[in-house]
Amino acid sequence: MLDKKVVELLNQQVNKEFYSAYLYLDFSGLCYDQGLDGFGNWYKVQAQEERDHAMLFVQYLLNNGERPVFAAIGKPEVAPGTVKEVLTEGFRHEQYVTSLIHDLYDAAHSVKDFRTMQFLDWFVKEQGEEENNADSLIKKYELFGDDPKSLYMLNSELGARVYTAPSLVL
């Protein structure tokens, strides 16, 4: 049986991951509105990843005899007006999600819940990748964003991103 506090945090994480999907869909729409379909695609794929992350937490709860508790998913709280602001807010959001995963890991560690810690190991690694990707996008935009031809090429690069489901075995 899982510790009650760990279960509570796992359920909160489900909600946070679904919120992340909403946020990235919102970012995607802003990018499409500005004619940057590649950036829009990148965030749409990002939203798909976040939904799958939520489902991994749901399945983990179910596999451990816990019924997931779903909360309302709030409207995205940030309203960036430019692609640069989208990229910056995306990076900040990934840092926030990393802090949530670390808090969850710490709670599991405090009750010696090694199974949950092992489950979270994948998310710790994933968040490192997410932060690196978000930071890299900002750097690329800062290098190329002011030059229309370079921005077009970066937009094309991001448009080629395809969704790949996570390979975490529960």
Side-chain angles (χ1 to χ4, degrees), residues 53-101:
H53 293 172
M55 293 306 297
L56 289 169
F57 280 100
V58 166
Q59 191 60 53
Y60 183 77
L61 286 162
L62 291 169
N63 288 352
N64 285 279
E66 297 292 338
R67 183 171 178 200
V69 177
F70 298 100
I73 301 168
K75 180 180 178 183
E77 298 165 358
V78 296
T82 67
V83 171
K84 173 76 187 264
E85 291 170 357
V86 165
L87 298 175
T88 301
E89 289 301 327
F91 181 56
R92 284 187 190 135
H93 184 72
E94 289 301 337
Q95 290 174 317
Y96 169 67
V97 173
T98 297
S99 75
L100 295 172
I101 298 294

Side-chain angles (χ1 to χ4, degrees), residues 15-159:
N15 184 268
K16 298 295 185 182
E17 298 291 342
F18 280 129
Y19 172 82
S20 295
Y22 271 35
L23 180 67
Y24 290 142
L25 284 174
D26 191 45
F27 288 179
S28 176
L30 182 134
C31 294
Y32 280 111
D33 281 349
Q34 294 190 5
L36 293 169
D37 295 357
F39 284 83
N41 175 69
W42 197 90
Y43 278 106
K44 189 167 50 172
V45 170
Q46 199 64 22
Q48 290 173 302
E49 278 191 12
E50 301 304 338
R51 285 191 305 264
D52 273 357
H53 293 172
M55 293 306 297
L56 289 169
F57 280 100
V58 166
Q59 191 60 53
Y60 183 77
L61 286 162
L62 291 169
N63 288 352
N64 285 279
E66 297 292 338
R67 183 171 178 200
V69 177
F70 298 100
I73 301 168
K75 180 180 178 183
E77 298 165 358
V78 296
T82 67
V83 171
K84 173 76 187 264
E85 291 170 357
V86 165
L87 298 175
T88 301
E89 289 301 327
F91 181 56
R92 284 187 190 135
H93 184 72
E94 289 301 337
Q95 290 174 317
Y96 169 67
V97 173
T98 297
S99 75
L100 295 172
I101 298 294
H102 289 178
D103 290 347
L104 187 45
Y105 199 99
D106 187 52
H109 182 265
S110 71
V111 294
K112 297 184 179 184
D113 182 351
F114 302 113
R115 182 177 32 206
T116 299
M117 291 165 54
Q118 183 179 20
F119 167 71
L120 292 171
D121 283 341
W122 184 87
F123 287 95
V124 170
K125 181 177 182 269
E126 174 72 5
Q127 281 309 120
E129 292 172 9
E130 296 291 356
E131 285 188 27
N132 285 336
N133 288 339
D135 186 46
S136 176
L137 276 179
I138 291 170
K139 288 176 181 170
K140 286 179 180 179
Y141 189 83
E142 287 172 347
L143 284 171
F144 306 123
D146 291 332
D147 175 52
K149 290 178 185 174
S150 297
L151 181 59
Y152 177 81
M153 290 181 70
L154 178 57
N155 187 60
S156 295
E157 175 187 322
L158 297 178

